[in-house]
């Protein structure tokens, strides 16, 4: 099920699991992010299962809204860094 998550969902979940931002940036490929989530599963089973269940229940509109919010946040972050 982890592989069913979109990139932004995997990153969001890694942040929820308190993975360091630098480490998240190193996880460039989907397989790397999925492996890290799987590695953390034993100690965070309830959190991950709840996130996966919520992710499955989202409508296309909710997903699109989240993507748009992430794009706005990303562009705002990019402007702030300059």
């Amino acid at each position: 099920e982890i592989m069913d998550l979109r990139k932004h969902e995997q990153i969001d979940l890694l942040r929820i699991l308190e993975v360091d931002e630098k480490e998240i940036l190193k996880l460039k490929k989907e397989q790397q992010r999925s492996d890290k989530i799987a590695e953390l599963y034993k100690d965070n089973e309830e959190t991950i299962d709840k996130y996966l269940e919520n992710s499955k229940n989202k409508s296309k509109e909710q997903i699109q809204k989240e993507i748009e919010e992430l794009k706005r946040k990303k562009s705002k972050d990019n402007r702030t860094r300059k």
Side-chain angles (χ1 to χ4, degrees):
E1 290 184 38
I2 295 169
M3 293 294 282
D4 294 338
L5 295 174
R6 290 161 193 79
K7 179 180 179 179
H8 74 276
E9 291 174 319
Q10 291 174 335
I11 291 171
D12 185 42
L13 180 53
L14 288 166
R15 287 179 177 142
I16 290 169
L17 296 171
E18 298 180 352
V19 174
D20 183 66
E21 202 64 37
K22 289 180 182 179
E23 186 173 354
I24 292 172
L25 291 173
K26 291 178 186 176
L27 304 172
K28 300 210 180 275
K29 299 195 183 278
E30 180 178 21
Q31 187 64 51
Q32 293 172 312
R33 292 187 298 272
S34 296
D35 288 347
K36 184 64 178 179
I37 293 167
E39 175 187 319
L40 297 169
Y41 185 79
K42 183 180 178 186
D43 296 328
N44 300 281
E45 188 174 333
E46 186 178 334
T47 302
I48 294 171
D49 286 345
K50 185 175 178 182
Y51 188 92
L52 292 172
E53 188 61 36
N54 287 339
S55 177
K56 267 196 274 187
N57 294 330
K58 289 181 184 177
S59 69
K60 288 183 180 181
E61 291 80 17
Q62 288 171 311
I63 293 167
Q64 189 61 40
K65 183 179 177 184
E66 285 181 8
I67 291 170
E68 291 303 319
E69 287 173 10
L70 287 169
K71 286 179 182 178
R72 281 193 296 276
K73 183 179 181 218
K74 187 175 181 179
S75 73
K76 181 181 176 183
D77 288 347
N78 287 340
R79 285 188 300 241
T80 305
R81 291 181 186 161
K82 291 180 181 179

